[in-house]
Amino acid sequence: MSGNTEKGQFDNKVVSWVDERLPIFTMLSKEYGVFPTPKNFNYFWNFGAIAMAMLSIMILTGIFLAMNYTAHADEAFNSVERITRDVNYGWLLRYLHMNGASFFFIAVYIHIGRGLFYGSYKGPRELLWIFGVLIFLLMMGTAFMGYTLPWSQMSGWGATVITNLFSAIPIVGDSIHTLLIGGFTVDNPTLNRFFALHYLLPFVIVAVVFLHVWALHVTGSNNPLGIEPKSKKDTLPFHPYYTSKDVFGLSVFLLFYLWVVFFHPLALSHADHFKPFDSMVTPEHIVPEWYFLPFYAILKSFTADLVIPFTGIILVEAKLLGVLAMFGSIGLLFVLPWLDSSPVRSATFRPIYKICLFLLLISMLVLGYTGSQPAEGWVVVAAQITTAYYFIHFLVILPLLGKIERTKPLPKSINESVLAKKEGK
Amino acid sequence: MMKIRKLFSVFIVLAFLSPVASHAAKSTEELPNIPWGFQKVFSTYDRPALQRGFQVYKEVCAGCHGLDKVAYRNLSGLGYNPDEIKAIAAEYTVIDGPNDEGEMFERAAVPADRFVSPFPNDNAARASNGGALPPDLSLIIKARTNGPNYLFGLLTGYAEEAPAGEELLDGQYWNKYFPGHKISMAPPLSDGLITYSDGTEATVEMATRDVVEFLAWASEPTMEARKQMGVKVLLFLFFLSVLLYIVKRRVWRDVH
Ligand code: HEM
């Protein structure tokens, strides 16, 4: 059926009947059948579909977990244990959901990295990119609240530390803090509102993913060369070419994911996540889940207040600086399309940008490591240097680099480049 | 092929860098490193060791530590049959009720009951242990970094007396691996303390290994089901991936 774009040309009578009244099959065929897609994608283009699959897995396993979960401070920890011990395949549900969040973030980090490398955020895809960053933010909120639900030591103390950040905001901070946790300390009301929101936000994500994909289908996909397709020779219909490639990629991704689920389900978790929450006993070392570590490190790298020199008047406290920097580091991504001044999208043709981006990757890895360590000694210095690079990369390098960089010549068309590569082989 | 390989390496770096980072050891003392059978990728629990370990728990640890997330019926996982489980449960009494007269009453435990805790509440447990709380052991293996080795170290790592310059309070003991070293649990095991019903010699090391195996089971009785299903799922997915790759190659034949 993939050749149809006109309305009502379906062999099956039922399909035709429905389509004349609601052209959903026409839409599917247009957007997922013949949708013209650049023919030169590499495997980095698989991760959007993979992220979509992970989102579905999270929602499905989450709903079944919620059927057996009790959102009460006295019961939550035990109810999660009961799920893994007594509910049929409950252990599977929990491990799928727990590790699913990690693999969802792995997919999305690679997906974002792909966008950074190939300049997918540049015009005309700015709005598409902004929806993506919004999804990322929503995912972080969802994952953070989900992590509190088992009501373990890490849950409760993680929630305490992160919600406390909001009290650093001048004037309204304390009110926001109270509103967030439903009282003055993290307790049953906190758990209840986090559960309600953890159930809600994924469906908000679904809505934004819909907008994200809608915007994608208006502008069409970017590609590794970063040049727009010019003729039919440059593209392929989405089906069967990219359906077959996406399904294969997904299958390989699931292989990694399920390997961890079945054979190392606790590799990414922490011992303090298996002790029930006790507000009187602070764990020795409170660390968030790995996917938050780089941002946590940015938060912690601000160790001194901002003062007016020689007067001792504090302008901004260190804690607030850290909070602003942490949210700012993600906020920057929203305006990235306007920070990068280069007209060339793909890093393949931008030798200096490529190096800067590599440094950014290294910075993120260093930040991730330092975020997991107690803030003392060289760890603080390393976090400060890499935090500085993060902001310099986006605020200084990207606006200037486009003006001075000698980019390599762009190929005339996608097709030409593909053919040249083939001959080179 | 190159691309796939590149992709995989990115992946592995991302996935495995972080746990290494966050699990960095915190104890000053190097933990023993025992090759536990149940930690191997495809392995199961060792049934005889589980039963011996249960005996250690029941005869020694259960005097102070509860195991409240495990039910007597779960003991089928150790290889006991329903009659044996009924008999084990019946050794304990639980408080049930109220009955038709509105009275609480005592009855023998049944397989559906959870393990009966030695103390009615935490305060009672503290009162009997010089103020220290013996934690419930249901999740102890997961609730300690490198749980099995930590537990092995803890139970075998007692010193005769504290090093010079360190004061122990009454009821405290010096332990190499306990954080802060001063633990309020007397060394619970000694050679020959237990007479194993299968005739194995109950040295401290043997009893410790067995009780760790048992507590590992208690923290995750579903491990064997998980691994069995995992083998099937991954084999299936592997062959599916190969097939999907062949399909993809054929679809793309005319483009490449
Ligand atoms: C729930 C998470 C997400 C889902 C389910 C999702 C889904 C998708 C899908 C299916 C595509 C098309 C296939 C592809 O190009 O890979 C896509 C494209 C895209 N996504 Fe996402 N996405 C998610 C998160 C994000 C985030 C967090 C960002 C960036 C911050 C982002 C940026 C983009 C961009 C720029 C494109 C167009 C890429 C191009 O054609 O080069 N996405 N997304």
Side-chain angles (χ1 to χ4, degrees):
Chain A
M1 254 353 333
S2 62
N4 275 310
T5 45
E6 299 282 317
K7 241 190 225 176
Q9 293 185 350
F10 295 92
D11 297 339
N12 185 311
K13 283 219 178 89
V14 179
V15 171
S16 293
W17 187 91
V18 172
D19 202 69
E20 277 156 27
R21 285 151 184 85
L22 181 74
I24 185 160
F25 293 100
T26 302
M27 194 267 275
L28 278 179
S29 151
K30 180 164 165 265
E31 304 299 342
Y32 285 102
V34 295
F35 186 65
T37 314
K39 66 201 263 186
N40 60 334
F41 279 0
N42 56 33
Y43 274 96
F44 282 112
W45 262 260
N46 276 61
F47 287 91
I50 289 172
M52 197 107 90
M54 289 314 297
L55 179 61
S56 319
I57 291 176
M58 295 308 284
I59 290 180
L60 267 178
T61 52
I63 288 174
F64 283 95
L65 285 171
M67 289 176 191
N68 297 289
Y69 171 76
T70 312
H72 189 285
D74 297 338
E75 278 301 310
F77 187 85
N78 282 333
S79 78
V80 171
E81 270 309 305
R82 224 175 294 122
I83 288 171
T84 65
R85 288 162 191 266
D86 296 339
V87 172
N88 289 336
Y89 301 107
W91 55 269
L92 181 58
L93 286 175
R94 186 185 187 199
Y95 287 157
L96 282 172
H97 199 77
M98 200 170 155
N99 292 292
S102 285
F103 277 81
F104 192 6
F105 273 97
I106 290 175
V108 167
Y109 277 132
I110 296 176
H111 189 66
I112 296 175
R114 185 277 318 259
L116 291 176
F117 190 87
Y118 297 109
S120 303
Y121 49 85
K122 293 185 189 182
R125 297 187 182 80
E126 301 95 328
L127 202 54
L128 166 61
W129 171 261
I130 288 173
F131 284 134
V133 182
L134 197 59
I135 293 168
F136 180 48
L137 259 184
L138 286 167
M139 278 175 69
M140 292 178 109
T142 310
F144 162 65
M145 290 195 243
Y147 194 60
T148 43
L149 299 186
W151 211 239
S152 69
Q153 274 288 71
M154 250 346 162
S155 301
W157 286 100
T160 306
V161 170
I162 300 300
T163 54
N164 254 330
L165 298 179
F166 289 87
S167 60
I169 302 170
I171 307 167
V172 289
D174 282 330
S175 313
I176 295 179
H177 179 241
T178 309
L179 185 68
L180 268 178
I181 65 175
F184 299 109
T185 54
V186 167
D187 207 335
N188 195 45
T190 321
L191 178 59
N192 277 292
R193 60 193 59 203
F194 280 17
F195 181 50
L197 292 174
H198 185 68
Y199 211 133
L200 171 69
L201 286 187
F203 296 93
V204 179
I205 296 180
V206 170
V208 184
V209 168
F210 179 79
L211 295 176
H212 184 73
V213 175
W214 187 2
L216 172 73
H217 282 221
V218 174
T219 62
S221 294
N222 186 28
N223 64 76
L225 294 172
I227 57 176
E228 295 294 329
K230 294 193 180 73
S231 70
K232 277 213 146 151
K233 276 192 198 151
D234 292 340
T235 63
L236 292 168
F238 191 79
H239 181 72
Y241 293 98
Y242 285 107
T243 39
S244 65
K245 192 171 174 180
D246 276 350
V247 173
F248 165 62
L250 178 63
S251 182
V252 173
F253 186 85
L254 290 180
L255 211 50
F256 281 93
Y257 165 42
L258 294 179
W259 166 261
V260 172
V261 165
F262 283 110
F263 293 102
H264 301 285
L266 302 181
L268 298 162
S269 79
H270 194 284
D272 279 324
H273 199 40
F274 290 93
K275 295 177 194 159
F277 177 47
D278 182 344
S279 59
M280 311 305 277
V281 182
T282 320
E284 186 182 353
H285 188 192
I286 304 170
V287 280
E289 294 271 82
W290 68 267
Y291 37 80
F292 293 129
L293 287 175
F295 301 101
Y296 191 56
I298 291 179
L299 171 82
K300 288 196 300 180
S301 67
F302 286 81
T303 48
D305 301 335
L306 186 65
V307 293
I308 302 175
F310 312 118
T311 60
I313 299 171
I314 296 176
L315 279 183
V316 193
E317 278 185 23
K319 185 176 167 193
L320 181 58
L321 278 178
V323 173
L324 290 176
M326 182 175 74
F327 287 108
S329 64
I330 297 164
L332 275 183
L333 295 177
F334 281 107
V335 292
L336 173 61
W338 296 276
L339 290 175
D340 186 342
S341 59
S342 173
V344 176
R345 291 199 190 104
S346 176
T348 321
F349 306 106
R350 301 185 58 190
I352 304 178
Y353 175 68
K354 210 190 222 168
I355 296 170
C356 297
L357 198 59
F358 180 71
L359 289 178
L360 185 71
L361 175 69
I362 301 289
S363 297
M364 288 307 270
L365 293 176
V366 172
L367 281 171
Y369 176 75
T370 54
S372 75
Q373 299 300 308
E376 44 194 40
W378 69 270
V379 165
V380 180
V381 180
Q384 285 168 339
I385 293 171
T386 43
T387 299
Y389 183 73
Y390 185 95
F391 285 97
I392 290 171
H393 178 88
F394 285 106
L395 290 174
V396 180
I397 296 179
L398 288 188
L400 293 182
L401 191 58
K403 306 220 162 78
I404 52 175
E405 189 177 29
R406 284 278 279 297
T407 55
K408 292 188 196 161
L410 297 175
K412 285 207 184 61
S413 76
I414 294 174
N415 190 42
E416 198 170 89
S417 155
V418 171
L419 287 179
K421 227 185 198 172
K422 214 190 274 182
E423 267 154 32
K425 257 184 211 164
Chain B
M1 273 331 279
M2 267 306 288
K3 281 180 199 158
I4 304 184
R5 215 173 299 147
K6 251 193 251 162
L7 208 67
F8 285 179
S9 32
V10 171
F11 224 119
I12 288 167
V13 168
L14 272 175
F16 295 103
L17 209 88
S18 26
V20 177
S22 57
H23 278 215
K26 52 182 171 184
S27 167
T28 42
E29 210 53 68
E30 190 83 22
L31 283 175
N33 191 7
I34 294 171
W36 299 98
F38 56 84
Q39 281 188 333
K40 299 208 180 84
V41 173
F42 299 117
S43 64
T44 56
Y45 292 114
D46 171 358
R47 289 286 172 297
L50 281 183
Q51 294 201 1
R52 290 194 302 269
F54 172 54
Q55 193 185 342
V56 177
Y57 168 75
K58 189 164 164 267
E59 292 179 11
V60 184
C61 324
C64 303
H65 295 278
L67 201 66
D68 64 10
K69 295 187 174 44
V70 183
Y72 295 109
R73 63 183 156 78
N74 296 137
L75 290 173
S76 61
L78 268 52
Y80 291 111
N81 65 38
D83 289 328
E84 286 169 320
I85 293 173
K86 253 184 222 156
I88 292 169
E91 294 172 28
Y92 300 86
T93 45
V94 291
I95 295 176
D96 203 346
N99 62 14
D100 292 347
E101 278 78 52
E103 312 279 340
M104 302 302 280
F105 59 92
E106 287 190 346
R107 62 163 173 79
V110 295
D113 285 311
R114 310 248 160 203
F115 271 47
V116 176
S117 295
F119 301 103
N121 53 54
D122 284 358
N123 287 359
R126 280 210 169 85
S128 308
N129 284 286
L133 179 69
D136 187 273
L137 295 182
S138 311
L139 276 169
I140 199 78
I141 294 283
K142 286 182 181 175
R144 297 289 179 276
T145 307
N146 192 0
N149 286 322
Y150 170 72
L151 236 71
F152 185 88
L154 183 83
L155 295 175
T156 55
Y158 282 93
E160 290 291 328
E161 52 193 83
E166 296 279 359
E167 284 291 325
L168 287 177
L169 297 178
D170 212 23
Q172 280 189 332
Y173 303 82
W174 191 262
N175 189 292
K176 242 167 103 180
Y177 301 102
F178 186 68
H181 299 295
K182 294 171 188 171
I183 189 168
S184 303
M185 167 168 74
L189 298 167
S190 53
D191 287 333
L193 178 71
I194 297 157
T195 313
Y196 276 139
S197 42
D198 68 358
T200 309
E201 199 189 330
T203 57
V204 169
E205 170 164 351
M206 191 68 198
T208 304
R209 277 172 181 269
D210 291 341
V211 82
V212 169
E213 181 110 7
F214 170 71
L215 291 174
W217 169 84
S219 79
E220 183 150 7
T222 52
M223 180 195 80
E224 294 176 353
R226 162 162 69 75
K227 288 180 178 174
Q228 274 163 14
M229 187 190 282
V231 172
K232 288 181 217 154
V233 169
L234 290 181
L235 274 179
F236 171 81
L237 211 55
F238 176 75
F239 287 110
L240 183 70
S241 300
V242 172
L243 282 181
L244 288 172
Y245 184 63
I246 295 170
V247 170
K248 190 250 160 196
R249 290 287 294 204
R250 299 201 69 179
V251 169
W252 281 76
R253 198 171 35 191
D254 46 342
V255 182
H256 279 318

